[in-house]
């Protein structure tokens, strides 16, 4: 039995102006194989923690549906156009009638595109009122400010709990959330591709985004508007959990920092105040009450530091404090590479225990 084989055809113009249809050669087959490999590799990038095509939220599901419907429409139209082009080159010129040619030009060039584009426009605009609608009264409120280059985050829960943190957002699954977004200086764009569309953060204006996560998991949010040297280094973690787990987390985040107990961490807490870190950072429950930089009350409990540029481990804290500008160019925080190793170790021990 012969194996089924997939053949590709090529249309070739010969010297006399005629056309030849034939099988493609080895070289073309290699190119096609490469294209298929690239397509598979590209499609594998459609999943993951930062993909609008792997939705984990109601709004992202609507957007993904629009994308796939539009893509399917484009593919159908592309196949139609290619089929028409093949038919045109394979038909002898004298077989074309003037009436049919005019019909094809007016129909295919004006009437059909107008109808198709009108349908796609109405289809694309349909979910906008739902996407722009605020979350129901009494929903969880999250205030996010885009800073250079990190995210200031403040929670207000319906039962009155207020928590301030940075670069990490946790949400209860299946509950609508209202985001309120702003920026003090430059334009950023707040985007959690897995959960919803993006919304700009504009100085002097407040913008809004409501969404509802539909499954639990850890996702990645990013800034989607060029905002300066470290635009690509301001990301954030988004953790969607069950409601009870979220409640435990938010209450823990709202509480003041635990006092250090180990001598090295106590030394770190003294150095934190002595080196002026408290002029920019707040650690609730201590004299540190600066507001320029991120609130560090529970920094050790976060999944990342430096706005998702480093993990939360001792080596990363050490590197961030000593070589801040190597990790994040142009950041406002100075590098503390002048500190002796013993002081860097003590500061690291203190900060990573702020859980
Ligand atoms: Cu913020 Cu780009």
């Amino acid at each position: 039995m012969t194996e089924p084989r997939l053949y590709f055809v090529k249309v070739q113009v010969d010297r006399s102006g005629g056309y030849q249809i034939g099988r493609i050669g080895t070289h073309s087959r290699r190119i096609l194989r490469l294209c298929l490999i690239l397509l598979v590799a590209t499609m594998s990038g459609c999943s993951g923690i930062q993909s609008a095509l792997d939705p984990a939220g109601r709004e992202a599901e609507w957007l993904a549906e629009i994308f796939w419907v539009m893509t399917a429409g484009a593919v159908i139209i592309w196949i139609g156009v290619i089929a028409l082009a093949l038919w045109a080159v394979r038909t002898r010129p004298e077989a074309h009638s003037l009436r049919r040619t005019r019909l094809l030009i007016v129909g295919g060039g004006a009437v059909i595109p107008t109808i198709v584009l009108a349908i796609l426009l109405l289809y694309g605009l349909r979910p906008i009122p739902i996407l722009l609608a605020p979350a129901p009264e009494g929903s969880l409120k999250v205030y996010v400010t885009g800073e250079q280059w990190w995210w200031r985050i403040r929670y207000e829960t319906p039962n009155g709990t207020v928590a301030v943190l940075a670069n990490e957002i946790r949400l209860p699954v299946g509950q609508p959330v209202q985001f309120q977004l702003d920026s003090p200086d430059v334009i950023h764009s707040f985007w959690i591709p897995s959960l919803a569309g993006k919304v700009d953060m504009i100085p002097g204006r407040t913008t809004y985004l409501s969404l509802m996560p539909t499954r639990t998991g850890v996702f990645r949010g990013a800034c989607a508007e060029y905002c300066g040297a470290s635009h690509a280094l301001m990301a954030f973690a988004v953790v969607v959990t069950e409601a009870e787990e979220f409640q435990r987390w938010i209450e823990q985040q709202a509480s003041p920092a635990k006092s250090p107990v180990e001598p090295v961490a106590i030394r770190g807490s003294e150095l934190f105040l002595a080196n002026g870190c408290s002029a920019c950072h707040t650690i609730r429950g201590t004299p540190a009450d600066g507001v320029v930089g991120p609130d560090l009350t529970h920094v050790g409990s976060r999944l990342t530091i430096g706005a998702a540029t480093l993990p939360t481990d001792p080596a990363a804290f050490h590197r961030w404090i000593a070589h801040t500008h190597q990790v994040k160019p142009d950041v406002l925080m100075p590098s503390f590479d002048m500190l002796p190793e013993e002081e860097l170790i003590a500061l690291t021990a203190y900060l990573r225990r702020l859980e």
Side-chain angles (χ1 to χ4, degrees), residues 130-161:
I130 318 170
L131 287 171
L132 293 180
E137 201 59 41
S139 300
L140 172 68
K141 282 199 179 105
V142 187
Y143 299 81
V144 185
T145 303
E147 302 280 355
Q148 291 186 55
W149 289 273
W150 56 282
W151 309 86
R152 190 188 295 274
I153 291 155
R154 183 171 183 273
Y155 275 86
E156 268 181 33
T157 68
N159 65 17
T161 309

Side-chain angles (χ1 to χ4, degrees), residues 147 149 151 187-189 223-228 231 234:
E147 302 280 355
W149 289 273
W151 309 86
I187 299 176
H188 305 270
S189 187
C223 180
E225 175 83 30
Y226 181 72
C227 54
H231 151 73
M234 62 178 294

Side-chain angles (χ1 to χ4, degrees), residues 113-185:
T114 307
I115 294 169
V116 169
L117 290 176
I119 292 171
L120 288 179
L121 181 68
L122 290 175
Y123 173 72
L125 291 177
R126 194 184 49 120
I128 285 184
I130 318 170
L131 287 171
L132 293 180
E137 201 59 41
S139 300
L140 172 68
K141 282 199 179 105
V142 187
Y143 299 81
V144 185
T145 303
E147 302 280 355
Q148 291 186 55
W149 289 273
W150 56 282
W151 309 86
R152 190 188 295 274
I153 291 155
R154 183 171 183 273
Y155 275 86
E156 268 181 33
T157 68
N159 65 17
T161 309
V162 174
V164 179
L165 66 151
N167 307 319
E168 188 162 310
I169 291 172
R170 297 205 179 200
L171 301 171
V173 69
Q175 292 185 22
V177 186
Q178 180 66 55
F179 283 98
Q180 188 168 313
L181 312 166
D182 59 27
S183 167
D185 37 37

